[in-house]
């Protein structure tokens, strides 16, 4: 009795000190226990079989022995050697869907997130949810559905930066600071983020002036829309830094990943009382909040009589880094009746080719399109799906990812490809995307942005090809006000003479939709960030910013 109590105490203090050390220094030790609770691996088979209350642990896609709790996974962001944290199981959503159709967004969020983030207490999680999903959103529905062109558009752009990244990034700072407190982390958390345009602003807005945090955002200097850039470089907050790089998004993402894996940098940071974490969609703290709105959308379709509980729906997701669509896939694993995941790409159609052939090949020209948040050739979150269809085999996955980084390509096995039958890949050209914006405006008087239009185009192609008329939800990922020039050019030409803000006023006249506060805010805001560096100088820039 006495000796076992002593052992428990010992484990706790050891874990606590490991947490600080590991997160900070990125050493090679692993934590696989959490303070005060039993090791899940110790549960006997009987408990395992029936127990959905079992703690969800997160392991690395590249090393089965690196296992952490949810809060530790959120803190670390990325596993060692570039691996991503994945849940060891996804508990069933054992709440009646019809009952959920009467719940608020916040209540649905609690039901979904509490099943995934099992080491957060009810009070902690509810605090995070209430702090995130409040009047920062311009509608109490948070994520409303609009019917147009034969589908339901799930509008994920009602948050403070008018793109879907707000759905997760408005809650991530709270999840992260709660996780730091739970794990007795003393260091300041430095958020290092690569952005194709929308993540950066949403992360800056979420973390600005949050005590105990700093945030550094890298964006491709010539690869984001003028409004996206203006939003970022006008960001207030003493703890914020914004850097344009001479390079594309993949360069920015690779540079950030390299810094995460740089032991010397981590050591210098720790000595200065800091440690990195990630706000990119590789952080499980981004993915879990994104599962919520698929469940919410489904229950709203029950509420308005479009479906009855249990009916299957299809979802169409305009895809870049594969985070949004993966969250839908995880929602299905939790029990949400989804038949098809329609993965829509722009002309950077790596994923379309992958779903068709089973070969992932990033060796191709990087194309700048009117949907810049999807201009990506390395879809990081696809790794989580590859790991899954490889039978949760970290070793096998690690080999694929090594091939990807060394040769730029890998091919999955026929058995793995069979497990992708729920996915349909499609893509839209620039001309098709513009034509869809115009068509839906003329037909339904509904203006969608370029990213959503990629999805709408692919959905039209899917229906034409398959005749599948299953009720469909299209993820509408940005406000048309964020990509005004492309949207207005699609609807009517002769805009060349007009400034971006003149076009914004024209869009309001044409759509009747009020100009969002996020746009009003940048009309006259001063530029506060003007750092630009070459893609090879990212680490040096970080060291300068952090005075290392
Ligand atoms: C980030 C983003 C996407 C792509 O989402 P992923 O999760 O990276 O696949 C699509 N549309 C918009 C507007 C975005 O900001």
């Amino acid at each position: 009795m006495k000796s076992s109590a002593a052992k428990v105490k010992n484990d706790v203090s050891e874990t606590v000190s490991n947490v600080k050390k590991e997160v900070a220094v990125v050493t090679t030790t692993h934590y696989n226990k959490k303070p005060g609770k039993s090791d899940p691996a110790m549960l006997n088979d009987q408990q395992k079989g029936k127990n959905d209350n079992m703690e969800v642990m997160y392991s690395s896609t590249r090393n089965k022995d690196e296992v952490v709790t949810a809060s530790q996974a959120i803190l670390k962001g990325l596993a060692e050697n570039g691996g991503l944290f994945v849940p060891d199981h996804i508990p069933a959503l054992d709440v009646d869907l019809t009952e959920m159709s009467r719940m608020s967004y916040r209540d649905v969020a609690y039901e979904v997130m509490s099943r995934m983030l099992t080491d957060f207490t009810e009070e902690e999680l509810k605090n995070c949810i209430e702090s995130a999903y409040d009047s920062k959103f311009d509608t109490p529905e948070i994520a409303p559905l609009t019917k147009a062109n034969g589908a339901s558009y799930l509008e994920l752009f009602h948050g403070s930066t008018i793109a879907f990244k707000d759905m997760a990034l408005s809650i991530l700072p709270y999840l992260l600071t709660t996780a730091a407190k739970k794990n007795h982390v003393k260091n300041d958390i430095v958020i290092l983020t690569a952005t194709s345009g929308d993540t950066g602003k949403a992360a800056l807005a979420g973390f600005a002036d949050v005590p105990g945090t700093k945030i550094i955002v890298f964006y491709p200097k010539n690869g984001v829309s003028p409004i996206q850039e203006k939003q970022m470089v006008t960001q207030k907050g003493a703890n914020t830094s914004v850097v344009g790089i001479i390079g594309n998004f993949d360069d920015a993402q690779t540079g950030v990943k390299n810094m995460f894996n740089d032991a010397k940098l981590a050591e210098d940071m720790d000595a200065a009382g800091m440690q990195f974490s990630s706000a990119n969609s590789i952080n499980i703290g981004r993915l879990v909040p994104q599962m919520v709105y698929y469940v919410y959308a489904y229950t709203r379709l029950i509420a308005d009589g479009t479906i009855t509980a249990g009916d299957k729906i299809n979802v169409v997701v305009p895809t870049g880094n594969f985070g949004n669509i993966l969250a839908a896939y995880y929602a299905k694993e939790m029990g949400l009746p989804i038949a098809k995941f329609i993965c829509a790409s722009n002309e950077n159609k790596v994923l379309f080719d992958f779903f068709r052939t089973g070969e992932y090949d990033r060796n191709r020209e990087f194309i700048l399109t009117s949907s810049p948040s999807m201009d990506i050739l390395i879809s990081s979150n696809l790794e989580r799906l590859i790991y899954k269809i490889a039978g949760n085999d970290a070793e096998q996955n690690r080999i694929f990812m090594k091939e990807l980084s060394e040769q730029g390509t890998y091919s999955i096995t026929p058995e793995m490809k069979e497990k992708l039958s729920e996915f349909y890949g499609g893509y839209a050209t620039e001309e098709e995307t513009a034509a869809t914006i115009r068509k839906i405006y003329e037909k339904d008087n509904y203006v969608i942005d370029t990213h959503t239009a990629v999805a709408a185009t692919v959905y039209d192609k899917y229906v034409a090809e398959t005749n599948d008329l299953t009720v469909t939800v299209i993820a509408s990922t940005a406000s048309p006000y964020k990509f005004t020039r492309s949207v207005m050019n699609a609807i009517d030409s002769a805009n060349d003479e007009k400034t971006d803000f003149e076009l914004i006023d024209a869009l309001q006249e044409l759509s009747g939709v009020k100009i969002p506060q996020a746009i009003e805010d940048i009309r006259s805001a001063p530029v506060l960030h003007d750092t630009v560096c070459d893609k090879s100088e990212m680490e040096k820039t970080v060291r300068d910013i952090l005075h290392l």
Side-chain angles (χ1 to χ4, degrees), residues 467-515:
N467 279 321
D468 178 1
L469 295 176
T470 303
V471 170
T472 294
V473 168
I474 296 180
S476 177
T477 50
S479 160
Y481 282 107
K482 200 153 189 175
F483 301 95
T484 316
R485 187 168 295 275
S486 302
V487 169
M488 288 301 289
N489 283 345
I491 293 174
D492 97 64
S493 47
N495 294 312
D496 289 357
E497 310 284 277
K498 297 194 181 124
T499 67
D500 285 314
F501 284 103
E502 283 167 350
L503 285 175
I504 282 167
D505 293 331
L507 176 56
Q508 172 171 39
E509 243 163 68
L510 187 133
S511 69
V513 175
K514 191 171 167 287
I515 299 174

Side-chain angles (χ1 to χ4, degrees), residues 163-165 198 318-324 373-374 449 451 477-478 483:
F164 101 96
K165 305 292 196 295
D198 290 334
T319 297
N321 227 358
F322 211 75
N324 201 0
S373 303
M374 299 158 65
D449 97 291
H451 303 75
T477 50
F483 301 95

Side-chain angles (χ1 to χ4, degrees), residues 51-57 86-91 115-116:
N51 189 358
D52 258 336
N53 299 326
M54 192 173 94
E55 174 135 30
V56 179
M57 298 298 285
V86 282
D88 61 356
H89 71 291
I90 296 190
R115 281 165 178 75
M116 298 296 293

Side-chain angles (χ1 to χ4, degrees), residues 53-89:
N53 299 326
M54 192 173 94
E55 174 135 30
V56 179
M57 298 298 285
Y58 292 78
S59 69
S60 167
T61 51
R62 299 191 193 178
N63 176 359
K64 69 176 170 40
D65 296 323
E66 187 180 355
V67 181
V68 299
T69 64
S71 68
Q72 290 163 343
I74 290 170
L75 263 176
K76 290 193 75 168
L78 198 61
E80 278 147 44
N81 304 316
L84 307 184
F85 287 115
V86 282
D88 61 356
H89 71 291

Side-chain angles (χ1 to χ4, degrees), residues 195-213:
T195 185
S196 55
D198 290 334
T199 295
K201 178 61 189 184
L204 287 161
F207 282 95
D209 292 323
V210 172
T213 72

Side-chain angles (χ1 to χ4, degrees), residues 23 38 92 96 117 152 155 157 215 243 272 275 286 356 364 430:
V23 175
S38 61
D96 184 62
L117 307 180
S152 292
E155 296 185 354
F157 54 75
I215 172 162
V243 182
Q275 66 193 55
R286 285 273 302 274
R356 208 165 37 97
R364 62 182 75 202
E430 289 291 275

